[in-house]
Amino acid sequence: MAAPVAFFAVFFAYPVTAIVRRGLQSDGTWHIGRIADVLGRSDIRHVLWFTTWQALASTALTLLIALPGAYVFARYDFPGRHVLRAVVTVPFVLPTVVAGTAFLALLGRGGLLDELWGVRLDTTVWAILLAHVFFNYAVVVRTVGGLWSQLDPRQEEAARMLGAAPLTAWRKVTLPALAPAVAAAALMVFLFTFTSFGVVQILGGPAFSTLEVEIYRQTSELFDLSTAAVLTIVQFLAVGAILAVHARTVRRRESALKLVDPSRTARRPRGAGQWTLLAAVLTSIALLLLLPLAVLVQRSLTAPGFGYYRALTDPDGGTFLVAPIHAVGASLSYAAAATAIAVVIGSLAAAALTRRDTGRLVRGFDALLMLPLGVSAVTVGFGFLISLDKPPLDLRQSWILVPLAQALVGVPFVVRTMLPVLRAVDVRLREAAAVLGASPWRVWREVDLPLVRRALLVAAGFAFAVSLGEFGATVFIARPDNPTLPVAVARLLARPGDLNYGQAMALSTILMVVCAVSLLVLERLRSADRTGEF
């Protein structure tokens, strides 16, 4: 646990504490009264209300649309099912900037709806809600559908044979078994939408602001660290509560069910009703998930002769110190370094969490690892600037600053991917190797590593995709001569002109393709070995 704890202490707790202290402390005195002053402001109360309201609405809408999809992927066997299952996961690993850009191409100025019917939705709450469904559809399908596919259908069939109507049998038998998974998925969707930044920043305009967006505005535009510090504390407490409830829900899910092989539960659709449901789900996937991505690609190709892509090689656009295409190589380099860091730290943390004899200490450590997913990435990025500026940790001019921030987000994915596999390793194998004289390092190399190698590759793939799309922290610390892809897209969208807009679409398409390829490789690895489940 020593290395992960040290990593999180230096590169997470220290920067967050620094920015909170800078905002609430002056001349060695803490000004706690600032919290009440900030929370008493009408504009801040509006931000808190909108953040909570849109997260609840996004969660409800996502469950309404995605639960039928979870059922179809769990119970129906149809051609292309595994490929489509990978496709619906693509939006989740896409950077939020790409999701926002895709819906901007669909709903915004000059978008598909604007061209066909003269309708624009890019500065309305509906654009935000639909983009959140697009982004979180896979969370419900993977979490609920993964469990649904392992529930024995004979229990519900027995209830129907005893006279229960189909809806009653589902409500009395299946729904109680699914409830922990539905609750876990709902909490994760609520967490992601409660801390939404890129989607709201691009689609919301000046009228809508979540806590994350407001923290960014207070730090980068208004330089009001007191308000930013208070909002950071509020978000930290809210996220901590959500994660605590989520952990309890997941433990209930893990311990309360008898599961069967998923290959025994899926069958071909039968009857008009089942085929209609399948068609409806496929249509919703096409409209909500595939259409925005298709429009994004189409908009990037509107200039003759791949004009927007060729313009990416021109360094004279005025937006960057280098040609925009340079962001591709920079992002790949940063993501590779962040993946290496996340895999090392995450693997050590997962190994520590497999120990079952340290009780509350390990559970607290597990919760600590999840905090970067919910704590403001904007706060972390700005905290890097104001805390890592003195020897021996003066990293402001170092390239490693960006990978360190990206690795903070990648570590939880590595831990969650490797932990079930490590816990499944029979402890007697390790003990036998130790009795035969193997050192702890050799036990890991000869026993654990062959069993977890594929999970390690999957974890590395997730960390790479997540690092590639990190935006909230890198928008502060990415250097103008070495921008990442999400930062480059956001800067292009912020400038007027069709050329900048088209280049943003082209860069977003490149980023989408890289993430999609990474995910398809992950799905191939996962299909070969079903030891873990996302």
Side-chain angles (χ1 to χ4, degrees):
M1 291 174 61
V5 167
F7 178 79
F8 274 81
V10 174
F11 299 112
F12 176 69
Y14 179 47
V16 172
T17 303
I19 196 171
V20 171
R21 187 175 62 248
R22 184 74 65 92
L24 297 181
Q25 189 183 54
S26 61
D27 299 325
T29 304
W30 286 90
H31 301 280
I32 305 301
R34 291 178 184 174
I35 297 177
D37 294 339
V38 171
L39 296 181
R41 289 164 43 182
S42 59
D43 59 327
I44 297 301
R45 289 200 304 270
H46 177 74
V47 169
L48 293 173
W49 163 248
F50 177 74
T51 301
T52 305
W53 177 86
Q54 64 83 26
L56 289 171
S58 297
T59 302
L61 190 61
T62 303
L63 290 175
L64 180 66
I65 295 174
L67 280 176
Y71 173 76
V72 164
F73 281 104
R75 293 302 198 208
Y76 293 170
D77 185 15
F78 53 91
R81 172 171 167 247
H82 293 297
V83 173
L84 190 61
R85 191 169 181 264
V87 168
V88 301
T89 313
V90 169
F92 179 75
V93 300
L94 284 180
T96 54
V97 169
V98 174
T101 307
F103 275 83
L104 193 65
L106 179 63
L107 307 175
R109 175 183 58 84
L112 184 61
L113 289 185
D114 193 14
E115 288 184 353
L116 294 178
W117 297 295
V119 176
R120 286 184 57 185
L121 299 175
D122 55 321
T123 54
T124 68
V125 71
W126 280 107
I128 296 172
L129 297 182
L130 290 175
H132 283 161
V133 174
F134 167 88
F135 192 71
N136 293 293
Y137 187 95
V139 175
V140 178
V141 168
R142 291 281 186 163
T143 304
V144 180
L147 178 62
W148 212 333
S149 66
Q150 295 177 279
L151 294 181
D152 193 341
R154 291 175 297 182
Q155 297 178 2
E156 188 174 329
E157 292 168 358
R160 295 181 62 180
M161 289 182 64
L162 293 172
L167 182 59
T168 302
W170 182 82
R171 183 168 55 86
K172 296 286 188 180
V173 177
T174 305
L175 183 58
L178 285 176
V182 174
L187 285 167
M188 289 304 295
V189 173
F190 184 84
L191 175 64
F192 289 136
T193 53
F194 186 83
T195 57
S196 181
F197 176 59
V199 167
V200 180
Q201 179 81 347
I202 292 174
L203 296 176
F208 301 105
S209 181
T210 58
L211 269 174
E212 188 86 352
V213 174
E214 189 64 20
I215 292 171
Y216 174 76
R217 191 173 77 90
Q218 295 292 337
T219 52
S220 66
E221 298 176 11
L222 303 179
F223 304 104
D224 186 351
L225 290 187
S226 295
T227 300
V230 172
L231 296 181
T232 296
I233 293 171
V234 171
Q235 188 174 18
F236 183 84
L237 294 176
V239 167
I242 295 168
L243 290 176
V245 175
H246 180 263
R248 184 175 180 181
T249 303
V250 169
R251 284 198 298 270
R252 179 185 164 198
R253 170 187 166 189
E254 288 176 345
S255 60
L257 297 173
K258 256 188 185 178
L259 306 177
V260 298
D261 185 354
S263 63
R264 293 166 45 194
T265 62
R267 52 179 173 75
R268 298 276 292 183
R270 292 178 295 192
Q274 294 185 0
W275 282 107
T276 301
L277 176 61
L278 176 60
V281 168
L282 294 180
T283 301
S284 67
I285 290 173
L287 293 177
L288 279 173
L289 305 187
L290 302 183
L291 180 60
L293 298 179
V295 173
L296 173 65
V297 175
Q298 185 269 331
R299 285 291 182 271
S300 74
L301 297 172
T302 52
F306 299 95
Y308 292 139
Y309 289 90
R310 287 190 289 107
L312 295 177
T313 63
D314 183 6
D316 299 323
T319 305
F320 307 103
L321 299 178
V322 294
I325 195 65
H326 180 79
V328 178
S331 284
L332 293 175
S333 301
Y334 285 144
T339 300
I341 297 170
V343 167
V344 172
I345 299 298
S347 299
L348 293 172
L353 289 172
T354 58
R355 293 289 301 272
R356 300 179 181 274
D357 56 352
T358 49
R360 293 182 181 179
L361 177 63
V362 166
R363 288 197 295 271
F365 180 55
D366 194 7
L368 169 69
L369 297 173
M370 295 295 291
L371 282 178
L373 291 181
V375 173
S376 171
V378 170
T379 300
V380 174
F382 194 68
F384 270 34
L385 290 183
I386 67 174
S387 62
L388 304 180
D389 61 344
K390 298 176 183 176
L393 285 174
D394 187 0
L395 302 178
R396 287 174 300 174
Q397 301 301 319
S398 174
W399 66 271
I400 197 64
L401 203 60
V402 173
L404 287 171
Q406 294 174 341
L408 281 172
V409 184
V411 168
F413 287 89
V414 174
V415 173
R416 296 269 78 81
T417 302
M418 294 192 62
L419 192 56
V421 184
L422 283 171
R423 283 177 172 167
V425 176
D426 192 339
V427 68
R428 292 174 296 182
L429 295 176
R430 301 188 184 109
E431 292 171 350
V435 168
L436 293 173
S439 65
W441 168 246
R442 188 175 181 184
V443 170
W444 161 256
R445 182 162 48 90
E446 300 289 346
V447 176
D448 291 83
L449 185 58
L451 296 174
V452 303
R453 184 183 292 115
R454 186 169 280 111
L456 189 64
L457 293 174
V458 172
F462 270 122
F464 182 81
V466 170
S467 301
L468 198 64
E470 204 289 320
F471 177 57
T474 52
V475 72
F476 278 101
I477 57 181
R479 295 166 56 177
D481 60 344
N482 219 21
T484 64
L485 276 169
V487 172
V489 170
R491 289 179 182 171
L492 286 168
L493 288 174
R495 295 177 64 89
D498 290 338
L499 180 61
N500 287 316
Y501 181 82
Q503 288 183 93
M505 297 293 160
L507 275 181
S508 296
T509 301
I510 293 172
L511 187 50
M512 177 187 71
V513 169
V514 174
C515 290
V517 169
S518 301
L519 183 69
L520 290 174
V521 171
L522 292 181
E523 189 66 21
R524 186 176 183 87
L525 289 171
R526 194 179 295 279
S527 297
D529 184 13
R530 299 274 175 187
T531 56
E533 186 62 36
F534 166 71

